[in-house]
Amino acid sequence: MSTTELAVIGAGPAGLAAATTAAAHGVQVTLIDELPGPGGQYLAPTGATGRVHAPLSAAEQRGHGLVNALSGSRIEMRTETIVWSLSADRRLQLYHAGRVDELVAQVVVLACGAREVSVPFPGWTLPGVMTVGAAQLLAKRHGLAVGKRVLVAGSGPLLLPAAERLVRMGAKVVAVVEAGPITAWLRLGKAMWGHWDRGREGVHYGGALLRAGIPYRFGRAVTAAHGGERVESATITRLNRAGSPIPGSETTVDVDTLCVSFGLTPNIELAQLAGCEFAFDPRRGGWTPVVDDRNQTSLAGVLAIGDMAAVEGAASGMLEGRIAGLQAAHLAGRLPASAVTEAIGENAAARRRNRRFGAALNTIFAPPIGLYGLAADDTPVCRCEEVTAGEVRKAIAGGVTELDGLKVWARVGQGPCQGRTCGSILAQMIALQTGRPVADSGMFQVRLPLKPVPLAALAAADGGHDVA
């Protein structure tokens, strides 16, 4: 067992800001991440050279400054390390390179980020169908273009940088397909006030697509993927206001890769294990830990920041990370409470702008509920356990309208991912079929270990022995 004053879980922009801020005030900091290096997906280096291509946004520039600051700090960085358990008394169970370790922290900052939301449709499990984030990660970290003829589809601004990067790497992007109507972007205009940097990013990416001659289609979605050993074509269909396909509006395009994304939802599982209080708010991305203005959860000494607390983007994450770092320094006895209060006051206007912008994005570009009727009865919706949409619909019709009930009835959420992919899908399917609010379906209860680890690791944690 080892100890630290502050354990920061997640080395993305928010976690980096919290760690470096606390360390600057003399706090002993341990920064933990599953990836080989800091930065998260947002700040991932490009290709084998590790270079980052210009132009960079102001948020990216600040983020890379935080990465560079690690080398001159006393922060203990633990990379390629899985946190598979967190208790209410701030005991972390870690797994790294075949060994287990228990870390006890005076303060824990959760900066676990978010994951992409998927919508199932016939053919979505074919090789060559992937999330936009997966395509971005392969491009950024490994310099790989995911295909030669690519269709980018879904909803929200994540589609733009993905398409631009694919073009820059030599792929042919046949189209960008946005589920929302063109008026969605117009509705975003008010929330953009004060976010001029993000506006410039949008203009840059939009201009790149325009110069490449890439069609940008609104009010449409991919409703099926076709192929044998891998995806060979995709059907695009116009949507009505509810997001349901309009019969007779289908078109088919030949592709070898399909990248789909419908926004982000927070990674809350560690907070669930610890026993934090939660609230459902679609403006924040769904289920999130309840936090105060200092980013403290309902558990003493446990803070939550970044996209896991509210999907608001990297700039917001770094701001909240700085405040959390100051609060951690206060809890560790390095700063008076007044220093945190002062920082909160100085950043009040920026925090309001970030929350307004995040709420607008999460509301305007949320997948329309009609899309969750796309899956045919034989379409898998829980990929781990190969449970089909028909099996789920039968269970719902039988009165099973909560996620944990579906887990028992239909085996969904019992696989290695513990429902991280299918949980949001199933909640929407229940809402679509019953007409009840999405929040009524609840959350999947998580279990140990949070991530797959060798059985020997569990034995070592229980009995105090090495994995070997």
Side-chain angles (χ1 to χ4, degrees), residues 2-3 65 81 87 100 110 116 121 137 177 196-197 205 209 213 220 241 262 268 314 342 351 354 400 405 407 431 446:
S2 54
T3 61
T81 299
S87 62
V100 292
L110 299 171
E116 284 177 279
F121 50 82
L137 190 61
V177 178
W196 316 124
D197 186 54
Y205 292 131
L209 267 60
R220 292 168 172 82
R241 287 191 173 184
F262 286 92
I268 59 172
E342 183 179 353
R351 295 177 97 184
N354 288 337
V400 185
K407 179 188 288 188
V446 295

Side-chain angles (χ1 to χ4, degrees), residues 36-378:
Q41 181 167 330
Y42 182 73
L43 301 172
T46 301
T49 64
R51 293 187 301 109
V52 180
H53 288 287
L56 291 174
S57 68
E60 286 176 309
Q61 291 172 352
R62 290 195 296 272
H64 284 288
L66 294 173
V67 173
N68 294 334
L70 285 179
S71 59
S73 73
R74 300 177 63 185
I75 296 171
E76 179 190 6
M77 181 74 205
R78 297 197 185 190
T79 57
E80 297 182 297
T81 299
I82 294 173
V83 182
W84 55 268
S85 176
L86 172 65
S87 62
D89 59 354
R90 302 175 300 283
R91 292 177 178 268
L92 291 70
Q93 300 293 337
L94 311 178
Y95 177 75
H96 169 72
R99 296 186 62 85
V100 292
D101 182 26
E102 183 178 68
L103 177 65
V104 180
Q106 183 177 341
V107 182
V108 172
V109 170
L110 299 171
C112 306
R115 58 184 177 272
E116 284 177 279
V117 174
S118 297
V119 173
F121 50 82
W124 78 305
T125 58
L126 280 171
V129 181
M130 64 184 69
T131 66
V132 165
Q136 286 277 60
L137 190 61
L138 287 169
K140 285 183 176 183
R141 290 198 173 272
H142 306 289
L144 297 176
V146 293
K148 296 180 179 179
R149 189 174 173 83
V150 186
L151 175 64
V152 178
S155 64
L158 291 179
L159 308 183
L160 288 169
E164 186 268 350
R165 184 175 292 273
L166 287 167
V167 170
R168 180 153 33 96
M169 297 185 69
K172 168 66 176 176
V173 177
V174 298
V176 176
V177 178
E178 164 66 55
I182 193 169
T183 53
W185 288 98
L186 301 177
R187 291 163 56 199
L188 189 61
K190 184 178 180 180
M192 285 289 295
W193 185 263
H195 295 276
W196 316 124
D197 186 54
R198 294 182 180 184
R200 286 191 292 270
E201 280 188 82
V203 170
H204 165 74
Y205 292 131
L209 267 60
L210 185 64
R211 289 189 297 272
I214 299 171
Y216 205 115
R217 306 300 188 201
F218 293 91
R220 292 168 172 82
V222 171
T223 53
H226 316 279
E229 295 184 356
R230 63 171 294 116
V231 63
E232 298 170 5
S233 64
T235 297
I236 302 171
T237 309
R238 289 177 55 202
L239 306 175
N240 61 22
R241 287 191 173 184
S244 298
I246 298 174
S249 64
E250 302 89 350
T251 59
T252 301
V253 294
D254 294 333
V255 297
D256 60 20
T257 306
L258 173 56
C259 301
V260 188
S261 175
F262 286 92
L264 302 171
T265 190
N267 290 322
I268 59 172
E269 290 74 22
L270 274 175
Q272 284 183 268
L273 276 182
C276 294
E277 180 183 349
F278 284 86
F280 183 83
D281 187 347
R283 297 170 301 174
R284 298 173 71 86
W287 289 103
T288 57
V290 175
V291 296
D292 62 15
D293 63 350
R294 296 174 179 235
N295 294 301
Q296 291 194 132
T297 70
S298 57
L299 295 178
V302 179
L303 288 68
I305 57 173
D307 281 348
M308 79 157 293
V311 178
E312 294 173 354
S316 175
M318 285 183 280
L319 174 55
E320 300 302 329
R322 178 173 176 270
I323 291 173
L326 294 173
Q327 175 66 6
H330 163 62
L331 295 175
R334 302 293 199 281
L335 280 177
S338 58
V340 188
T341 303
E342 183 179 353
I344 291 172
E346 291 174 349
N347 292 283
R351 295 177 97 184
R352 285 194 298 270
R353 285 196 302 270
N354 288 337
R355 288 167 184 168
R356 184 171 63 245
F357 184 75
L361 281 181
N362 293 322
T363 303
I364 293 169
F365 294 107
I369 194 166
L371 289 179
Y372 291 92
L374 290 179
D377 280 347
D378 61 352

Side-chain angles (χ1 to χ4, degrees), residues 399-432:
V400 185
T401 57
E402 294 184 356
L403 292 186
D404 272 344
L406 279 179
K407 179 188 288 188
V408 175
W409 187 272
R411 308 185 320 280
V412 292
Q414 294 188 21
C417 88
Q418 297 198 41
R420 289 177 182 84
T421 298
C422 69
S424 60
I425 295 170
L426 296 165
Q428 295 284 353
M429 289 182 67
I430 292 171
L432 178 63

